[in-house]
Amino acid sequence: MGYIGRFAPSPSGPLHLGSLVAAVASYLHARIAGGQWLIRIEDIDPPREAPQASRQILETLAAFELHSDQDILFQSRYFENYLEIANKLLASGQAYRCSCSRQDIRHAGRVTPVGYRYPGTCRTRTIHEQPTAIRVRANQALGSFQDELQGTCRYNIDATTGDYVIFRNDGLPAYHLAVVLDDARQGITHIARGYDLLATTGLHIHLQQTLGLPIPKYAHFPVVVNAAKQKLSKRTGAKAVLPEDARRLAPEILRYLGADPPKSLCGRNPYHLWAWASKM
Ligand code: GLU
């Protein structure tokens, strides 16, 4: 089987060290397998997007010599398709409209390790006064998958998340729907991404099965944390990585991934380091 991997940043701000480590991990995972590596910009949430972030992200990736093997996909161009698929699931009864507010769910839902479980309040409701979200029925959605790094992972969507949102009540597609559709659209066979997304994988597999899409192989690698053991992110104050940081940071990124790059390659164009690491 061929290998097509990807890095799929959301343009909520510039890349930081943690996102670069994720980009390089997925890039090397693809290169070591002799596969292709694609970049996808997950720009489906305008209220959370920073102006210019997509451009900055792409400039930084280019400075790190991380180039997509195919045209870069921008999710904002596929909005109609996400809506069409959500409407199909509504028509087939696999999804339904939900007008519950966060507060309704907090009152009626049970707390689970991944937040409040949606109790299914709107499953039988036919009249909605507020704007509605679209939820997929998670009936008996439990199973397991083999993660290349984390081993056997079990999930039980029904007991944890419950019926889950694929379209939000502000009219925007949810990450889960867009990510699953675009992994299939781009023929992604392998997903190498941070451990912070492991908890969403069962839900993605359920959605792939519901839509009759292929299920890629998954590898969730450790994420970079700060001194307080929080994942680096815009919210936890991670510093932006800029194009001019590429030569200095590339060896550090490899060290985060457990490699010990030779001194002779450090400080040179990162391309040499990736070529070295791909042959390990
Ligand atoms: N866009 C997501 C993020 O930036 C990652 C999506 C994925 O790798 O599945 O967190």
Side-chain angles (χ1 to χ4, degrees), residues 6-10 40 42 175 179 183 191-194 196-197 204 231:
R6 48 67 160 183
F7 175 58
S10 303
R40 177 168 78 226
E42 302 211 318
Y175 154 68
V179 79
D183 283 333
I191 296 179
R193 62 183 179 187
D196 54 314
L197 291 167
H204 294 173
K231 182 193 161 232

Side-chain angles (χ1 to χ4, degrees), residues 27 63-67 250 268-278:
Y27 176 84
F64 277 83
E65 298 290 353
L66 299 167
H67 306 289
R268 293 178 61 192
N269 184 312
Y271 169 83
H272 299 287
L273 284 167
W274 312 151
W276 170 83
S278 305

